[in-house]
Amino acid sequence: MEAYNYSFTAIRGVQAGREYYVAMCPLKLVPRIFRFNEEEIPAELRAQRTLNKSRIPEITRYLVHNPDDYVFSSITACIDADVKFEPLTTEGYGRNAGVLTVPMSSTVLINDGQHRRAAIEEALKENPDLGNETISVVFFIDSGLERSQQLFADLNKHAIRPTRSIGILYDHRDPFADLCRKLVKKVPIFKGLTEMEKTSISNRSTKLFTLSAIYQANQALLNKKKADEITDEEFAQAKEYWTALGEIIPEWRLAIQKEIRSSELRKEYVHVYGVLLQALGHVGYALLKSEPYQWREKLVPLRDVNWLRTNSVWEGRAMQLGSMTTAGDSVRLTANILKEKLGLHLTAEDMAVEDKLKKSLAQR
């Protein structure tokens, strides 16, 4: 009967009085063994959320493009049949390590990891050599639909997605993340004033910017996407641009010299918020493109901008009803004000959002 069973190297454990097993499963078996309740089944009769197919290509690319250093967390699944566990020994540690035998006729439903399972199936089509590698699987013995649904709820109840900033801090595959980490060390206005983990800054913090805001600002400055490579010339250009702004914007210069508190800047001024930083990135792209040799001189008018939050020019652009915002067209509308200050041409897209703002104000 061995041909009618799957056998896994496994470890046995106990949670809530129930046995469960952690097994090593070859990737080539994942699409065959694990099933997912299809979308046409009503949610109340499923033990998992609907598969988000748009996520699969990204996970597939990650696996295919990083065959030497990818990492996948465990799949969690329920088995609706009797399994057999043969321990290595009857005493000591060996009694919880052994071979788990699962009937091929059983249904194995995924409680957590359905997108990994789908991505593995697609990745194997591109690189069959991945099939002999393994992924860890946590097997629970199915006690019915209600128990399976509760497993899903419990597994996701306390899951917290890492902040965007810490994701950038720890991502060594993303060229933009690498660029931002370098800029934080080299640019005076970012050095020591960047919140590296959180995506928001508390009132008492000594920081001015978040790493995620710097990331978005540099995407705007270089007009590139996440996966694009960054050249040494582009790094030098970004470094020079933000360094120049730190010298030109009066309050930034005071912050670098430690002559003004970060909390005071966040309370009184707009230029330390993500919307302005990203807008300055857009302005920088336009300026470097139109004035590649004299852009530093062209930046000087920013010294005279009224950056106070009380300045009504920011309302409807960087602010909504007195609060800072990054919603909708706020970044482009804010960039437009700065472009006009520097005498830069507004694009058709810039003019479109201006017309939209005028119509909105006229209807109030």
Side-chain angles (χ1 to χ4, degrees):
M1 296 296 292
E2 185 68 21
Y4 298 97
N5 298 314
Y6 293 113
S7 295
F8 303 97
T9 301
I11 297 173
R12 175 173 57 185
V14 176
Q15 284 186 4
R18 296 181 177 91
E19 287 189 354
Y20 71 99
Y21 306 90
V22 181
M24 299 300 112
C25 179
L27 295 187
K28 61 187 176 184
L29 290 183
V30 168
R32 300 185 210 171
I33 298 174
F34 301 103
R35 302 180 190 177
F36 176 69
N37 289 356
E38 299 298 333
E39 296 177 17
E40 60 267 17
I41 301 175
E44 64 271 16
L45 298 180
R46 283 191 268 112
Q48 179 58 284
R49 58 189 152 201
T50 302
L51 194 69
N52 183 350
K53 294 182 180 179
S54 65
R55 290 182 55 194
I56 297 170
E58 182 178 357
I59 303 174
T60 301
R61 285 193 297 271
Y62 164 73
L63 181 55
V64 172
H65 294 168
N66 300 283
D68 297 325
D69 63 352
Y70 74 91
V71 60
F72 269 171
S73 56
S74 299
I75 290 174
T76 302
C78 282
I79 307 173
D80 72 345
D82 292 330
V83 300
K84 181 180 179 182
F85 181 73
E86 297 181 25
L88 295 177
T89 63
T90 56
E91 297 180 356
Y93 296 114
R95 66 188 181 88
N96 287 320
V99 177
L100 178 69
T101 301
V102 178
M104 286 187 178
S105 59
S106 63
T107 298
V108 184
L109 292 178
I110 294 178
N111 294 99
D112 183 58
Q114 79 273 26
H115 293 94
R116 271 161 279 158
R117 176 232 176 268
I120 288 170
E121 183 173 12
E122 294 302 312
L124 289 173
K125 295 175 184 177
E126 297 187 44
N127 184 2
D129 291 340
L130 291 168
N132 293 321
E133 300 201 357
T134 59
I135 187 170
S136 57
V137 181
V138 181
F139 286 113
F140 290 92
I141 307 306
D142 192 6
S143 299
L145 178 63
E146 184 176 338
R147 172 61 179 163
S148 293
Q149 290 176 336
Q150 190 61 56
L151 275 174
F152 172 79
D154 290 347
L155 286 167
N156 289 278
K157 183 178 297 182
H158 303 296
I160 299 176
R161 187 180 180 86
T163 66
R164 182 173 173 79
S165 285
I166 203 167
I168 294 167
L169 180 63
Y170 292 161
D171 191 345
H172 296 277
R173 290 194 181 92
D174 180 0
F176 260 102
D178 186 49
L179 168 74
C180 293
R181 288 192 297 268
K182 290 179 180 177
L183 290 176
V184 166
K185 294 178 181 179
K186 299 292 184 179
V187 176
I189 190 58
F190 296 153
K191 189 175 182 180
L193 294 171
T194 300
E195 171 53 64
M196 304 295 282
E197 294 187 46
K198 302 174 184 177
T199 50
S200 60
I201 300 176
S202 66
N203 292 334
R204 296 182 180 180
S205 175
T206 58
K207 310 301 183 183
L208 282 181
F209 310 103
T210 64
L211 186 59
S212 59
I214 293 172
Y215 183 100
Q216 291 176 301
N218 280 288
Q219 282 188 310
L221 174 64
L222 300 179
N223 193 31
K224 284 193 166 187
K225 298 179 181 179
K226 176 178 179 179
D228 293 340
E229 292 297 323
I230 307 296
T231 65
D232 291 342
E233 182 181 357
E234 287 170 329
F235 167 72
Q237 196 171 61
K239 177 176 175 290
E240 288 181 39
Y241 178 70
W242 296 114
T243 299
L245 284 178
E247 296 168 354
I248 288 171
I249 299 175
E251 295 79 22
W252 282 18
R253 191 167 62 250
L254 292 175
I256 293 169
Q257 297 168 352
K258 309 297 183 185
E259 294 180 12
I260 191 171
R261 289 183 299 178
S262 299
S263 57
E264 183 179 344
L265 285 178
R266 288 195 305 275
K267 182 179 179 182
E268 302 291 341
Y269 296 90
V270 296
H271 51 37
V272 294
Y273 287 87
V275 60
L276 258 298
L277 205 63
Q278 200 171 341
L280 285 166
H282 282 286
V283 170
Y285 172 73
L287 183 60
L288 291 166
K289 189 176 180 180
S290 64
E291 300 286 348
Y293 304 108
Q294 294 182 308
W295 63 266
R296 292 176 186 81
E297 292 82 357
K298 295 291 184 178
L299 275 177
V300 173
L302 293 182
R303 182 177 294 145
D304 301 321
V305 171
N306 180 354
W307 300 101
L308 286 168
R309 294 178 61 164
T310 53
N311 181 3
S312 60
V313 73
W314 307 119
E315 184 59 36
R317 297 177 185 271
M319 303 179 71
Q320 291 291 341
L321 302 177
S323 298
M324 301 302 302
T325 180
T326 56
D329 299 320
S330 58
V331 171
R332 187 175 292 275
L333 287 168
T334 302
N336 287 351
I337 288 291
L338 301 178
K339 283 182 178 181
E340 290 178 347
K341 181 71 175 179
L342 300 183
L344 293 171
H345 172 72
L346 295 187
T347 66
E349 292 178 334
D350 294 338
M351 294 303 298
V353 297
E354 288 295 324
D355 290 341
K356 184 178 175 181
L357 177 61
K358 289 177 182 177
K359 290 178 181 179
S360 175
L361 293 174
Q363 294 172 355
R364 292 182 182 178

